[in-house]
Amino acid sequence: MTDILRLAAEEQYKTELDALIAAETETVPRGWRLSPRSVLTYIIGGTAKGVEITPKYFGNRGLVETAVATLMTDRGLLLLGEPGTAKTWLSEHLAAAVCGDSTLLVQGTMGVSEEAIKYGWNYATLIAAGPTPAALVKTPIYRAMEEGRVARFEELSRCAPEVQDALISILSEKSIAIPELSTQLRAKKGFALIATANTRDRGVNDMSAALKRRFNAVYLPAPATPETEIEIVTRRVAQISAGLEFCAVPPRQAIETVVTIFRELRQGRTLDGRETLKRPTASCSTAEAISLVMGAMAHAAGFGDGTVTDAHIAAGLTGAIVKDDEKDAAVLREYAENVLKHRNGSKSLYERLTAV
Amino acid sequence: MAVSLSTRDLLRCSPLLHIFGVRHLSPGASREILTLCEKVRPDAVLVEGPSDATGIMAELTREGCVPPVAVLAYTEAPPVRSFMLPFASYSPEYIAIKWALENGADAEFIDLPSTATLAKLSRKNTVEKPEGMEEELSVYQRFALASGETDFDAFWENAFEHLPDGGYRQAAFAFGEGMRSLSAPSEENLTRERFMRSRIRAASTRGYRDILVVCGAYHAPELDKEYPDETPPELETVPGRLTLMPYSYLRLAAKTGYGAGNQSPFYYELLWKMRGNTADIPAAFFIGMAEVMREAGSFRSSAEVQDAVLLARALASLRGRREPVLEDLRRAAVTVLGRGEVQTVAEALAHMETGTAVGVLPEGALRTPTQDDFHRLLRERRLTAYLSPVAAELSLDLREKLTGGFGALLGRGRSEFLHRLDALEIGFGRIQSGGQTKAGWKENWVLQWSPEAEIALTEAALFGVTVESAAEARLNEQIKASASLARTADVLEKALLCGLPALFVTACAALRDSLAEREGFADAVSVCASLSRVLRYGSLRVTDTDAVSALLGRLFLRACLTLPEASFCDYQEARACLGNLHILAQVRAEHPTLTDGAQWDNAVAELSESERAAPLLSGYACALRLEAGTLDDKGLSVQISARLSPDWFEGLAARNRFMLVSRPALLRALDGFLETLDEGRFMRALVSLRRTFSSFTADEKSAVCKSLSAMWGLTPEAADRAVSGELTREETEHLAALRQMEG
């Protein structure tokens, strides 16, 4: 067992990637490690020379195809969606499959400046010896262009617009001008950019039209059916708990309960469609569900006997739903009164929830 | 298998048979057929289609006939069964027929005659075309999924529509054979193939050199075979009619029951038009979309079009496709032009996939008797000038006296004609509302002819041979299918407007029979309103109105009796009820002799006294009583002191605002009441009062102001200033809070 808390995708799934490379029969684009078809197989699952390739993304296959096809063209890929719909996850795995390196990542925040996107300076060397290539501090995007790999940009819409626009020339000319050195870095074949943006952050720092035009936007929806969502949560929880070395078993019943509650609150309607419900402002996303189940398992493993009970779920549920708005507490209470109280098997959960 | 050549043929010097299996509406097939025709130059072309429609072929290719058009076959006698055979500009059958007639070759339809197919339909008691491919569609779906495609259309397009020249015929033949091996052919299909073989044999004896046979891919392997001593099948037929009608891409896309239908006609037309350079199709597609989007106001640049083309090609190569198919184009469109969202490009996609094309038939083309009747009536009613795509207004006066002479009847004749077309849903005229309720003798129409109307007119033939009989049959159907009293009453009204006395009697009887004495208040009032309108027209459109009067009386009574129960409701429902009560009062006012006055007065009095009724309604009832004179001022003040509340006041004001203005006692009482309320209740009352007064005109408001100012001892100017001056900040805040309360 490794010391590292969370391995990069290319390390975690090294066996699968190696098997795919060995079984490769089609042309591999310059700078890529796998052919587009193999990348697709890696993401949606399949087999390669007897090795089972687990699915990484559960959802519309067409969306993944569009994403891979975009990387084949010279446009940037923009993954949009509500929080918790696997945008970052997909971006990581696409990078791992295409170029074997998912670590060339820029995290977008309000504080990100152009230096974090293009290049920075080692000021000591700069002052001592003047502008030289040695004084240049390379950003992940710079390195990706230099080596012909995939660069990732998370939360694009959280950067200031001026900074976002630094990407425009990178995407259209595939080069970074370094006026201080009178040179230009031209991207090697295999360079691609995958960006993610939250639709809930729309309007925070909307991308300029010029920037939007240089991306192919793929919208990732929430899982279509409860079964898909349950599968996603189960798998992911199993992976994480293995990594955390938990002694708790992913609880099927608890996962089903949590997924049902989240779906109903998300849609504003019970699963059988009979009752309409108020929707909380918090996004009841799949990622949130995963965290909740993990929390419950941690609770059970640490303070219980390893079996997840309704008490553990109830403890985490309020925290998961009531995040920003006070009113969400009332929404949750209403949901408990109207739905949980009368549902078979949710009685104890209801009691725990209202006792809190 | 490309050429059917046996020793028998050689010895007898029979014609060379070129069997070409196609999928209907397939541009790939059309392309190859054209090439084949140019190479082989057949002197006879046999096409899969109703053999008795051969006479229509000339019409199909006449100058001025623009596809999409369809052959329509229908039974003469009811119950009418029908089926349609659509032809688009890229239909292989259409292309083949056109080539034949332009190059002096003989052309013939060789499938079962329409009379036989109609007979089968009549027996089956269903209205769907018994295309053999229907049941096997799921087989096709499974086949497509097994070959790694998402659906059959994507599979077909990739496998057949982008083939280099020469590949289609063989591929389609192999496909037909494959399909036959998957499941046993139906009785129907076997009969059809027997018939077609007999027609081919018959043609072979006429001394042709080369015969081209265009048929469905499923049938091609069987038509190629020979069965010695085979006789043509015995066929059951029913009398039927054939006609040609314009068709539309919209309908083509919607017709999924027709096994070899076309989901995206415009796109397939594009495939046909660009058959020489299919590599440019994605660009043409996206350019078309960008044009639509630009016109709608969302700009899309040529750079984005280029990027979309690149993405489409990448998607196609990911699937191992030679060229992008529609699915790839669609996905690329959403990603690039739609920036991830489907709604942005939905309209443009629909435009480029389905398209809005409607076919045209030239003047003097084949017409149904109904169409002939339509045009004759158009001339007689002097409405031919209105047969244009430009909308025009027409005002009709129905008061012309029946003093003989044709001209006097023109207004009424036109009205009846237009109403009959409306009953047939032909979409020629739209009546402007407002003209009807106020003055029954005046009608304002807006007339506009459209290609869709042409289609609907042709289909009207399915109901009857004249406009009148078709309208009558259609309305009769509606009476039979009517699920509610209100619906039947609507048909009754329509029958009157259409001038169909026999139907009127039927509708009346149906109405009478379906009266279950269980109708609720709302239903009863709705029918009363319809009947009242009928009686209003009645004097103008001479009809027997006794039956209607009797019905009105009964329903009015019913409404009165159900009023108490209907009035026990909350505020929201009371508002709807108020509307109905208003209508009922109107009916009473219009027909004092037909409606039971005592019952009405009783019901109103009960409502105004009722404790349980919604205050809105009892207030209204009070106002009714004041109007009728059954309540005097003293009685009013008793009511006020007992019942006053904001809702009650609203109801009172809803009836007659002048009355409020002219009775200061009322305002004084209201003022006194408001003084007694606490903060919370006062705010709620304010909400209701605001609603009431918002319906007052400016004059009425100033009159109320005057009364109030007199009451409170203000000068009129001061009151005016207070009301019409600028709102203070505090007042604005209060208003905002009020609005929030209203929700």
Side-chain angles (χ1 to χ4, degrees), chain B residues 410-422:
Chain B
L410 188 64
R412 235 188 82 178
R414 281 171 160 182
S415 165
E416 279 174 7
F417 177 62
L418 290 173
H419 276 292
R420 286 173 190 178
L421 293 180
D422 191 46

Side-chain angles (χ1 to χ4, degrees), chain A residues 10-42:
Chain A
E10 57 271 18
E11 288 158 13
Q12 180 108 22
Y13 294 97
K14 191 167 178 345
T15 354
E16 290 187 14
L17 287 169
D18 287 340
L20 282 166
I21 293 177
E24 192 59 73
T25 50
E26 312 199 358
T27 32
V28 175
R30 190 93 72 89
W32 287 34
R33 285 212 312 169
L34 293 170
S35 70
R37 202 76 68 92
S38 305
V39 173
L40 195 62
T41 313
Y42 173 73

Side-chain angles (χ1 to χ4, degrees), chain B residues 111-133:
Chain B
D111 202 350
L112 299 181
S114 63
T115 45
T117 319
L118 287 171
K120 235 176 253 156
L121 278 174
S122 306
R123 248 192 303 120
K124 254 193 185 179
N125 215 25
T126 152
V127 226
E128 284 301 313
K129 181 174 199 260
E131 178 74 28
M133 286 199 185

Side-chain angles (χ1 to χ4, degrees), chain B residues 460-651:
Chain B
L462 298 176
F463 289 96
V465 287
T466 60
V467 172
E468 183 180 341
S469 61
E472 195 161 350
R474 189 79 188 264
L475 289 174
N476 240 325
E477 228 178 63
Q478 281 177 10
I479 293 180
K480 287 204 194 95
S482 164
S484 73
L485 214 59
R487 190 83 194 83
T488 318
D490 281 340
V491 180
L492 180 76
E493 216 181 319
K494 198 72 188 168
L496 185 66
L497 294 167
C498 290
L500 297 168
L503 189 68
F504 187 81
V505 171
T506 319
C508 241
L511 205 57
R512 199 175 41 239
D513 292 336
S514 52
L515 271 187
E517 304 297 356
R518 284 197 303 272
E519 294 73 34
F521 180 63
D523 279 332
V525 172
S526 152
V527 180
C528 273
S530 288
L531 294 177
S532 167
R533 275 199 299 274
V534 166
L535 288 172
R536 210 187 305 141
Y537 302 138
S539 55
L540 287 166
R541 301 178 200 246
V542 186
T543 350
D544 166 37
T545 53
D546 284 342
V548 179
S549 312
L551 277 171
L552 180 63
R554 266 176 78 177
L555 277 160
F556 186 84
L557 180 62
R558 179 93 196 124
C560 290
L561 294 175
T562 50
L563 178 55
E565 202 185 312
S567 63
F568 305 149
C569 53
D570 67 15
Y571 180 76
Q572 290 298 347
E573 285 169 23
R575 277 210 79 82
C577 203
L578 190 68
N580 281 330
L581 198 50
H582 180 74
I583 296 176
L584 204 59
Q586 246 183 335
V587 171
R588 167 80 191 131
E590 277 181 32
H591 307 278
T593 46
L594 298 173
T595 52
D596 192 337
Q599 283 288 342
W600 171 244
D601 290 337
N602 223 3
V604 172
E606 218 186 287
L607 184 57
S608 69
E609 303 281 332
S610 166
E611 293 286 331
R612 285 181 61 197
L616 184 71
L617 296 171
S618 29
Y620 192 79
C622 227
L624 281 171
R625 285 179 71 191
L626 276 171
E627 226 175 79
T630 53
L631 187 69
D632 59 8
D633 275 351
K634 200 151 147 276
L636 177 62
S637 42
V638 168
Q639 285 284 334
I640 291 173
S641 49
R643 313 296 314 280
L644 186 63
S645 75
D647 282 350
W648 189 90
F649 181 71
E650 192 182 340

Side-chain angles (χ1 to χ4, degrees), chain B residues 689-711:
Chain B
L689 282 173
R690 195 160 170 271
R691 214 172 14 226
T692 312
F693 282 111
S694 64
S695 63
F696 280 41
T697 65
D699 285 337
E700 288 163 352
K701 279 187 203 161
S702 59
V704 171
C705 261
K706 259 197 211 107
S707 309
L708 286 175
S709 61
M711 202 161 63

Side-chain angles (χ1 to χ4, degrees), chain A residues 36-37 65-66 75 216-217, chain B residues 307 317-319 331 335-336 340:
Chain A
R37 202 76 68 92
E65 283 181 4
T66 311
R75 274 161 71 90
N216 277 358
Chain B
D307 290 325
S317 81
L318 203 55
R319 287 272 192 161
R331 196 160 293 142
T335 308
V336 180

Side-chain angles (χ1 to χ4, degrees), chain A residues 46-58:
Chain A
T47 53
K49 276 223 165 104
V51 177
E52 198 216 326
I53 312 289
T54 52
K56 315 292 177 306
Y57 180 77
F58 292 84

